[in-house]
Amino acid sequence: AVTNGNGLCPEGWHVPSVADWSQLTNFIGGTSSPNGNKLKSCRQVNSPLGGDCNTSEHPRWNSHSTYYGFDAFGFSAFGGGARYQGGSFNNLGSYGDFWTSNQSSSTSAHVRSVYEHRGDVWSSIYPKTGGFSVRCIKDN
């Protein structure tokens, strides 16, 4: 699992725990739609917001007319895709999966996700053999 003692985050920062993610999602109004859109970058193919948000260059989200990001809190989540158990890399622009620092078991860990085709923040457990994004947050 992604742990805070493995040098992923700079000194004074850490990989967020399930509790940290809960604090964030409670602050933005919960995990249901459209609150996940509040965390997503506005950069998207055919963004209805136009301007610099409308782009086909990565990093950006794939096009979706209902579930588009507007980054209300400066989190700027992108759909970084993932490396799956078999070693393939897929879903760039579609899935933003982020490891937490919490294990579920010796072989799996907790993940928080935002997706191109959803407006919520998804909570799940994945095998540790997958490869997802990591966010670091500043220590209190």
Side-chain angles (χ1 to χ4, degrees), residues 19-79:
D20 291 327
W21 272 95
S22 293
Q23 184 177 3
L24 173 62
T25 54
N26 288 340
F27 179 78
I28 68 169
T31 59
S32 62
S33 185
N35 292 327
N37 293 335
K38 296 176 184 178
L39 298 179
K40 291 192 259 183
S41 167
C42 75
R43 291 179 52 87
Q44 176 185 314
V45 175
N46 299 319
S47 173
L49 300 177
D52 291 338
C53 294
N54 185 12
T55 184
S56 60
E57 294 181 24
H58 281 290
R60 52 94 174 137
W61 289 96
N62 294 337
S63 180
H64 200 286
S65 61
T66 303
Y67 301 114
Y68 55 90
F70 52 93
D71 199 17
F73 299 101
F75 191 80
S76 297
F78 284 108

Side-chain angles (χ1 to χ4, degrees), residues 86-99:
S88 65
F89 180 83
N90 294 311
N91 298 313
L92 181 63
S94 295
Y95 290 74
D97 297 313
F98 300 92
W99 287 117

